[in-house]
Amino acid sequence: MRIGIFLLATRFPRPPETSRRAAGESAPDSGDAAALTRTVEAAVAAERAGFDDVWLAEHHFMSYGVVPSATLMAGHLLAVTRRVRVGTAVSVLSNRHPVALAEEAAMLALLSGGRFDLGVGRGGPWRDLEVFGTGLARYEHGFAESLDLLLAWLRSDRVGWSGEHFRFREVPVVPRAPVPPPVTVACTSPATEALAAERGLPMLLGMHVGADEKAAAVARHGLPDAPHVSAHVAQVADTREQAVKTLMEEMPRWLGPGLDGYVPVDDRPRPARDPVAYTRRMCELHPVGSPDDCAEALVTTVERTGVRRLALMVEAAGSRAATLENIARLGEEVLPMVRAAVPAEAGRDAGPAPRT
């Protein structure tokens, strides 16, 4: 059983002056520098609070997340922590050369003593495909080849390649991690679930679906004992009413502008998403409430899905102070109840043991 935090590094809108003073903020909790600093502080706080993992999102050209390289941020966090594993959730393979990403992953695994996890995903049909020159073809048809090349690089001494999207003569793998970092695949469709299963890789299951949908994904994948990861919004308060009120007031403020950053690379329509309705849905699906409410929701997810790695998005309340308080309370009041209710099982935790 491993419980981690999931950090978007969202750029929060500047709150009204009265709200900022009431929250005790001495400086505006907005802007890119504030988002990046808060991400580092949250990772350190998570280790102190007893979490096992820190997962980092990667986005381009949007306020939803200001980390364009999850591996670069992971390297920084691995240097300022000592115990937690740090993973990408996810590095977008449609934008990257698989060899370059594999080289970075191997280097992080070596420098951290094996504390790095590489999560990868297809991404979306967004304008970054145009900016980086990888194009729609890589997004629509190249994910399997990209994943296979990345895995071959991580597991080999020398690699040459002749495929539809990549072609090069054999070269040595440098640096090479004797124990490659674990690879997890973000899955939002049965096709990607099957692709991950064929390669024996675990899935990262997102916040947009509940426990029943995640259980169905695990069943389709067919490897229930794989170290799958389940992502959740998590917000603890004295009561469920207080937690829901906080998210309904604060989350749409940053979620709305963030979702507007998803701009298609072509003229395909992008379904509009109501940030208020989406926030309400998150409150229904996820551990939002009192410590007992949060623990019960997480234990229910584990029991229904069999997934024993959880990644909790802790920034939804929209400020540095609220994020750090949420991490501290989850660590002190929720994690012990979840761990007591879900006994450890030999062989179920993923990856090499973290170095202390």
Side-chain angles (χ1 to χ4, degrees):
M1 183 73 194
R2 299 186 67 87
I3 307 175
I5 65 169
F6 173 42
L7 298 170
L8 290 174
T10 292
R11 182 198 299 161
F12 295 145
R14 180 169 181 162
E17 187 69 21
T18 53
S19 299
R20 184 167 61 83
R21 288 199 303 266
E25 297 286 352
S26 59
D29 189 17
S30 60
D32 296 344
L36 294 170
T37 299
R38 184 181 68 249
T39 300
V40 176
E41 290 180 311
V44 173
E47 180 167 77
R48 185 168 57 245
F51 284 90
D52 302 301
D53 306 311
V54 175
W55 296 93
L56 299 165
E58 177 177 293
H59 296 92
H60 299 277
F61 324 126
M62 63 176 67
S63 64
Y64 188 71
V66 304
V67 172
S69 171
T71 52
L72 181 60
M73 177 60 87
H76 182 69
L77 297 187
L78 287 164
V80 299
T81 59
R82 292 293 177 266
R83 178 184 55 80
V84 291
R85 299 185 67 83
V86 179
T88 63
V90 293
S91 295
V92 182
L93 261 181
S94 299
N95 292 337
R96 298 291 311 275
H97 196 295
V99 170
L101 182 59
E103 288 177 326
E104 293 171 12
M107 185 169 64
L108 291 174
L110 290 168
L111 289 171
S112 67
R115 288 195 291 130
F116 177 68
D117 287 85
L118 179 61
V120 297
R122 185 191 305 269
W126 314 125
R127 55 189 172 182
D128 32 324
L129 299 172
E130 175 185 350
V131 174
F132 296 124
T134 50
L136 276 170
R138 272 277 305 277
Y139 164 72
E140 293 177 335
H141 308 295
F143 183 63
E145 183 183 346
S146 295
L147 181 60
D148 288 340
L149 175 52
L150 179 140
L151 294 173
W153 191 271
L154 289 174
R155 297 169 178 175
S156 307
D157 293 314
R158 299 180 65 87
V159 175
W161 201 262
S162 180
E164 180 181 356
H165 300 277
F166 305 98
R167 185 181 299 270
F168 55 88
R169 290 172 290 178
E170 186 177 275
V171 292
V173 172
V174 181
R176 185 175 189 277
V179 179
V183 176
T184 303
V185 179
C187 293
T188 58
S189 69
T192 309
E193 295 161 8
L195 185 149
E198 289 166 1
R199 290 151 181 79
L201 300 176
M203 301 180 292
L204 171 64
L205 301 171
M207 298 182 292
H208 63 292
V209 292
D212 291 340
E213 293 93 337
K214 290 176 179 179
V218 172
R220 289 190 297 267
H221 182 277
L223 299 173
D225 289 340
H228 305 300
V229 182
S230 177
H232 302 262
V233 173
Q235 183 66 40
V236 65
D238 292 340
T239 67
R240 173 165 172 76
E241 291 73 21
Q242 290 175 351
V244 170
K245 182 175 184 291
T246 295
L247 292 198
M248 293 303 301
E249 290 178 351
E250 300 297 336
M251 191 170 174
R253 293 180 59 247
W254 59 263
L255 183 62
L259 293 176
D260 289 341
Y262 286 100
V263 178
V265 68
D266 53 12
D267 294 327
R268 70 182 66 190
R270 183 179 74 89
R273 180 171 284 173
D274 179 356
V276 175
Y278 187 80
T279 299
R280 186 176 297 110
R281 179 63 171 160
M282 294 298 98
C283 292
E284 294 169 353
L285 286 178
H286 295 302
V288 176
S290 69
D292 287 340
D293 294 329
C294 292
E296 181 181 1
L298 294 172
V299 171
T300 297
T301 292
V302 174
E303 291 175 344
R304 288 186 182 177
T305 66
V307 176
R308 297 172 61 87
R309 297 193 79 183
L310 308 176
L312 309 185
M313 202 281 277
V314 293
E315 303 163 286
S319 76
R320 169 186 175 275
T323 297
L324 295 178
E325 179 183 2
N326 197 32
I327 291 170
R329 290 197 66 176
L330 287 167
E332 182 178 354
E333 303 175 49
V334 177
L335 266 58
M337 287 192 284
V338 177
R339 289 174 174 144
V342 185
E345 295 180 21
R348 292 297 293 271
D349 285 353
R355 183 179 63 180
T356 57

